[in-house]
Amino acid sequence: MLAPLALWLGDTGVERALLVGSLMLVLIVELANSAVEATVDRVSLEHHRLAKRAKDLGSAAVMLALVNAALTWLLVLTA
């Protein structure tokens, strides 16, 4: 839903690339996080501190990608 909006709201090619690119980064990081979680679950379903840490770090990466996207949109659209 946001990709067509990004193409419409971006005034220049660079702005469009930044808006769409930030959204793509969120999707890429989310896919990597899902892969980490599936791998950890495949190895063992037992609770282990390293498994929890791996999942937490993947979630933190997704959060940082979302913050990056929000800041990118904010800076591009208010400029």
Side-chain angles (χ1 to χ4, degrees), residues 6-70:
L7 295 174
W8 184 63
L9 291 175
D11 291 333
T12 66
V14 172
E15 287 182 353
R16 290 183 189 118
L18 285 170
L19 294 175
V20 172
S22 67
L23 297 175
M24 294 301 294
L25 181 63
V26 171
L27 294 176
I28 291 166
V29 174
E30 183 61 50
L31 286 171
N33 181 43
S34 295
V36 167
E37 289 189 4
T39 302
V40 168
D41 289 343
R42 169 63 177 98
V43 170
S44 174
L45 292 176
E46 295 177 15
H47 291 289
H48 192 279
R49 64 181 177 87
L50 292 178
K52 180 184 180 331
R53 185 170 180 191
K55 289 183 172 189
D56 288 346
L57 290 172
S59 296
V62 172
M63 179 57 109
L64 287 175
L66 287 168
V67 168
N68 176 64

